[in-house]
Amino acid sequence: MAFGGFPRRVQFTPVPSPLFGPLLEQIDDLGELKCTLRLVWLLHQKKGHPKFVTLSELQADRTLAKSLASLQERPDVRESVRLAVARGTFVEGTDDQGTETIYMLN
């Protein structure tokens, strides 16, 4: 199915410039790239500070799940985000209650 183009009043998401340079050169796993792009978008949707996305939110994200399902090796969300954390694109922590894994832009 072909992409129909962007709508006239499309919204934009700011993306850190290094993602289009050094990080793009380094990322060799398509699941990691897809997860990175989606995490940047999800973080941009958040209000307040600090901005973070939980593992539960990532696992419940239908767009990310469909995107990863299209890959031959079908990586798990956890594996894709683990690669992005290992690269240093995101940092991993826990929420204030210590019950939920959270991810923030590094």
Side-chain angles (χ1 to χ4, degrees), residues 1-71:
M1 178 164 79
F3 177 64
F6 295 101
R8 289 185 137 221
R9 297 184 188 259
V10 68
Q11 292 184 343
F12 290 87
T13 302
V15 177
S17 293
L19 185 56
F20 296 114
L23 282 173
L24 187 60
E25 292 173 4
Q26 294 172 20
I27 296 172
D28 57 3
D29 181 271
L30 190 52
E32 177 188 353
L33 180 60
K34 288 181 175 199
C35 191
T36 296
L37 291 172
R38 192 63 177 171
L39 250 169
V40 167
W41 183 84
L42 288 167
L43 286 167
H44 180 67
Q45 305 306 307
K46 298 287 184 162
K47 305 291 183 215
H49 293 281
K51 292 185 179 190
F52 62 86
V53 175
T54 66
L55 177 59
S56 296
E57 288 173 304
L58 283 176
Q59 291 174 320
D61 187 278
R62 300 185 82 189
T63 299
L64 183 57
K66 285 181 177 181
S67 173
L68 294 176
S70 70
L71 302 177

